[in-house]
Amino acid sequence: MRRTTNIRRPVSLRQRATLAAGVSAVLLAQPAFAQDAEEEEVQLDTLEIKDHTADSNPYTVEGAPYKARISGDVRRTKPLAETPATITVLTETQIEEAGTTDLKNIVAMQPGVTIGTGENGNAFGDRYIIRGEEARSDVFVDGLRDPGMTTRESFAVDQIEITKGPSATFAGRGATGGAVNSITKQASTDYNFNRVDLGIGTDDYYRATLDSNWRLSDAVAVRANLLYAQQDIPGRDPADRERWGAAISGTAHISDSVRVLLDYYHLTANDKPDLGSYVTPSTADGYGQPLDDIPSFTQNEDFLDSDVDTFTGRIFIEPFEGFRIVNLTRYGETSNGYVTTGARGGEDGVEIGLSTHQGWQEVEYFANQFNVMGEFATGSLRHNVIVGSEYSDQKVVNGTYGYTINGESNCEGRRGPGYCITDDSGAIIVDDISGFLDRDIVRGDADSRWHVETLSFYAMDTIDLAPWLSVNGGVRLDAFDYSNIVTGRDASVTNYTYSDELWNGHAGVSVKPLENLMLYANWGTAKNINGGESDLGANCGYGGLCITDDTDLNSGRPESTTSYEIGAKWDLFDSRLLLTAAAFHVTKDDVYEIASGSSGYDQEGNINTGKHRVRGIELGLVGNVTDRLSGQIALTVMDAEVLESYDPANVGLTLANFADTQATGQIRYQATEALAFGGTVTYKSEMFAGQPDTAASFNTEAGRYSYRVPSYVTGDVFVSYKISPNYSARINVTNVTDEDYYTAAYRSGAFLYKGDERRATLTLTGKF
């Protein structure tokens, strides 16, 4: 089956002239065959011309705004309904109507995905956990890795694709639980268009975006997406968020068989972040509870700043039908720096003291991906082959900030004088909380210089043995050179270097007992290098370099994941509704652990001593239930268990920041031609704090997990109205019940990320 991009183009002037000439010829010829009309009645098909704007998502099914037909990754050669894997796709329309904009918030709403916390360049939750596995470095844009712990926005995105299950054949190192791939908006030679969105809302919410496409000729076009956004975090003043963004795309059809795409992307995100609350420790009497009414403790000098600049070039060559060459090249630089304030509770869980969390990171990367794709037959077998290579050079520099607290201490902290905003009765004892610490901040030197070069080769084939039977398989080799120059707390400098090769593969079979029903079974593997997460230097507590006492890296094996999945996909109603079901079993071996007691910051004991498994089911529905009712509904029920650990007490425990049951439903109802309304409901079951990928922290004295993140249900609603063919309005209310809910916990329970309180916004859209 030849892969198309589903781009609908209007009838050109030349086509219209040809059509008119054809109709005229038919009319002029009437007398010539009128005498035969009585003998034979000629019935012509009705010609229907549809006008479809070029600014819409080219990957969706026409008339089903929530249902994507194909992936934006050129290596996914089959339609999504025929792809034997669990891939959740969030379309542009769905993202807009949900009222979410940051990638973190969009992805966190999806079943099977939670977010985590961390330090040193990754403190504010821009990290994902997919099916229980760490995935913060498994973020991609248009099929190329997007490194760096930065803020990511959706203003230039056509759709977001979340692949669940090991994806190393496509993604390379890592991708043990899955991957997140954003598909960006591209220039179109269809025709000129402009779209402006202006938003205003509660808590000083302002957002403006511009999407303009200029068709310079039949072969050349340029598209610009611009963003400015500012908002206070509801109920958490002085915490706020600000965004500046630009995405410029150019396309040129060099010939009928050669097309070139060039992209530039920039985002500046300046936030004054809010670390939310904290949860009290569990006791023998029950789990500790979050402090829902804790006041905002963000300091005036707090910041979380991200800058992203990337350049991407793509060449598409199709010398003849069934054969394509696609080359992608990207160079990018990102930076992320923060000084944030956290809250800690006293032993009684009431007295609230403030703490400082800080770090900075700079990333420079280059990547080139080369793909050759062919569709051909060998006898009765139909092949869909992909052979490719990828080279990447990624450099990451991490450092810290020095700071001096000028405010007066008023309590005893863990390490000496402390800074408390309440007393042991819970009463506020500070008049100006946001100016309490009054810190002087100075950027410090680098303490880690991480560098990985990777050369990869892969080959994949999907073979149609019969119209109802297909098999697929692939293999990938990632050969890398690793170095990490780490400056210790005692100012000692150590240079860790090593090289290795990672082999991964996948295989599966698909059966179609009915034309639109596919049953499949697949197997896949993934591996991550020892030290694969770049933001923690020589500390493997959050995925940094994991070493033994003698720094013999050869004893540090890569983490290895194996997954089995069986599933079904049923495409109904002229491919406008897709039902999916999958059961999966994921096992991860050689998991990095810190066997150094409670501190977690000393390289002692064993490494690669952990093993765990995650199994579960996922059910989904996406598309049009009726002509007026659309939606995407998904449910994931999972179970995680630690199977092996250096500490026998960890065996049998669940994983940290892992929700057993998750469900999301987003629906829209087209009441009239002009009026549509709908909403989203999200449920996540309780989770427990701890180090990602390992056992949740357990209090043996209390007989329960140390820190719990309670389950929650949130709801969002929207109403949109088409004022005229060119103008429309949409009202969104997020967290409509003003629920106090929490999305993740720091592994020691020191702080607890709080979801946004209720917000209402009005967005006016103009197209011209």
Side-chain angles (χ1 to χ4, degrees), residues 399-419:
T400 59
Y401 289 94
Y403 60 91
T404 302
I405 299 178
N406 299 312
E408 293 186 10
S409 62
N410 60 356
C411 63
E412 288 298 319
R414 292 194 309 165
R415 298 186 177 94
Y419 300 83

Side-chain angles (χ1 to χ4, degrees), residues 516-649:
N516 297 323
L517 173 64
M518 182 185 73
L519 309 176
Y520 67 89
N522 64 35
W523 160 89
T525 68
K527 295 182 177 68
N528 200 11
I529 68 176
N530 185 356
E533 303 299 345
S534 62
D535 55 323
L536 258 294
N539 170 31
C540 63
Y542 276 99
L545 184 65
C546 208
I547 61 174
T548 57
D549 289 334
D550 59 2
T551 67
D552 178 12
L553 286 170
N554 291 324
S555 65
R557 298 179 299 277
E559 295 180 315
S560 178
T561 305
T562 303
S563 174
Y564 300 91
E565 179 171 311
I566 58 173
K569 294 187 175 184
W570 198 1
D571 217 16
L572 300 171
F573 306 155
D574 195 24
S575 296
R576 294 192 176 189
L577 179 67
L578 179 64
L579 305 180
T580 61
F584 54 88
H585 186 284
V586 183
T587 303
K588 191 172 189 178
D589 292 280
D590 297 319
V591 177
Y592 309 147
E593 293 188 295
I594 300 178
S596 59
S598 61
S599 70
Y601 287 94
D602 299 317
Q603 288 83 28
E604 299 175 358
N606 300 315
I607 59 174
N608 300 109
T609 50
K611 179 178 181 179
H612 62 248
R613 63 114 179 98
V614 178
R615 60 190 177 192
I617 60 172
E618 181 162 342
L619 306 176
L621 173 155
V622 61
N624 287 9
V625 180
T626 69
D627 289 340
R628 295 182 179 271
L629 181 62
S630 305
Q632 183 173 71
I633 302 172
L635 167 69
T636 301
V637 180
M638 301 182 290
D639 174 70
E641 182 180 353
V642 174
L643 304 178
E644 297 176 6
S645 174
Y646 78 95
D647 184 355

Side-chain angles (χ1 to χ4, degrees), residues 60 67 86 104 148 158 208 325 430 514 592 668 699 733 766:
T60 58
K67 185 176 184 292
T86 300
K104 177 186 69 175
D158 264 334
I325 299 173
V430 176
L514 301 174
Y592 309 147
R668 73 185 310 273
N699 187 329
V733 181

Side-chain angles (χ1 to χ4, degrees), residues 369-396:
Q369 184 186 103
F370 182 80
N371 297 288
V372 177
M373 294 171 280
E375 301 177 38
F376 57 89
T378 56
S380 61
L381 306 181
R382 297 288 305 177
H383 294 265
N384 210 316
V385 174
I386 302 173
V387 178
S389 65
E390 186 171 324
Y391 169 78
S392 65
D393 185 359
Q394 183 178 342
K395 301 174 183 177
V396 182

Side-chain angles (χ1 to χ4, degrees), residues 326-602:
V326 181
N327 184 255
L328 299 82
T329 301
R330 176 172 296 155
Y331 173 80
E333 295 180 356
T334 71
S335 65
N336 184 36
Y338 66 93
V339 175
T340 63
T341 303
R344 300 181 184 275
E347 292 184 0
D348 53 13
V350 177
E351 188 180 48
I352 301 173
L354 303 184
S355 58
T356 300
H357 306 267
Q358 49 75 32
W360 59 264
Q361 179 187 86
E362 293 181 349
V363 180
E364 180 183 4
Y365 60 97
F366 172 84
N368 180 270
Q369 184 186 103
F370 182 80
N371 297 288
V372 177
M373 294 171 280
E375 301 177 38
F376 57 89
T378 56
S380 61
L381 306 181
R382 297 288 305 177
H383 294 265
N384 210 316
V385 174
I386 302 173
V387 178
S389 65
E390 186 171 324
Y391 169 78
S392 65
D393 185 359
Q394 183 178 342
K395 301 174 183 177
V396 182
V397 180
N398 300 294
T400 59
Y401 289 94
Y403 60 91
T404 302
I405 299 178
N406 299 312
E408 293 186 10
S409 62
N410 60 356
C411 63
E412 288 298 319
R414 292 194 309 165
R415 298 186 177 94
Y419 300 83
C420 294
I421 60 174
T422 66
D423 60 21
D424 55 9
S425 69
I428 301 294
I429 58 175
V430 176
D431 293 331
D432 179 16
I433 294 179
S434 61
F436 179 36
L437 295 183
D438 187 23
R439 290 174 296 222
D440 291 328
I441 300 169
V442 178
R443 175 168 159 143
D445 295 332
D447 56 17
S448 171
R449 298 180 182 275
W450 185 96
H451 184 198
V452 169
E453 283 187 277
T454 308
L455 181 61
S456 309
F457 299 95
Y458 49 88
M460 296 174 261
D461 191 8
T462 299
I463 306 173
D464 295 328
L465 304 175
W468 56 272
L469 178 62
S470 297
V471 295
N472 67 85
V475 64
R476 178 172 180 135
L477 168 66
D478 292 283
F480 65 86
D481 291 322
Y482 174 99
S483 69
N484 197 354
I485 303 174
V486 178
T487 302
R489 294 183 178 180
D490 59 357
S492 62
V493 178
T494 307
N495 186 7
Y496 303 104
T497 61
Y498 75 111
S499 302
D500 204 350
E501 294 86 31
L502 306 177
W503 285 95
N504 288 291
H506 73 270
V509 59
S510 304
V511 178
K512 298 183 70 173
L514 301 174
E515 182 179 359
N516 297 323
L517 173 64
M518 182 185 73
L519 309 176
Y520 67 89
N522 64 35
W523 160 89
T525 68
K527 295 182 177 68
N528 200 11
I529 68 176
N530 185 356
E533 303 299 345
S534 62
D535 55 323
L536 258 294
N539 170 31
C540 63
Y542 276 99
L545 184 65
C546 208
I547 61 174
T548 57
D549 289 334
D550 59 2
T551 67
D552 178 12
L553 286 170
N554 291 324
S555 65
R557 298 179 299 277
E559 295 180 315
S560 178
T561 305
T562 303
S563 174
Y564 300 91
E565 179 171 311
I566 58 173
K569 294 187 175 184
W570 198 1
D571 217 16
L572 300 171
F573 306 155
D574 195 24
S575 296
R576 294 192 176 189
L577 179 67
L578 179 64
L579 305 180
T580 61
F584 54 88
H585 186 284
V586 183
T587 303
K588 191 172 189 178
D589 292 280
D590 297 319
V591 177
Y592 309 147
E593 293 188 295
I594 300 178
S596 59
S598 61
S599 70
Y601 287 94
D602 299 317

Side-chain angles (χ1 to χ4, degrees), residues 86-90 110-111 160-164 618 632 634:
T86 300
I87 303 178
T88 299
V89 179
L90 310 172
Q110 306 311 310
I160 297 170
E161 304 175 1
I162 307 172
T163 302
K164 299 170 186 175
E618 181 162 342
Q632 183 173 71

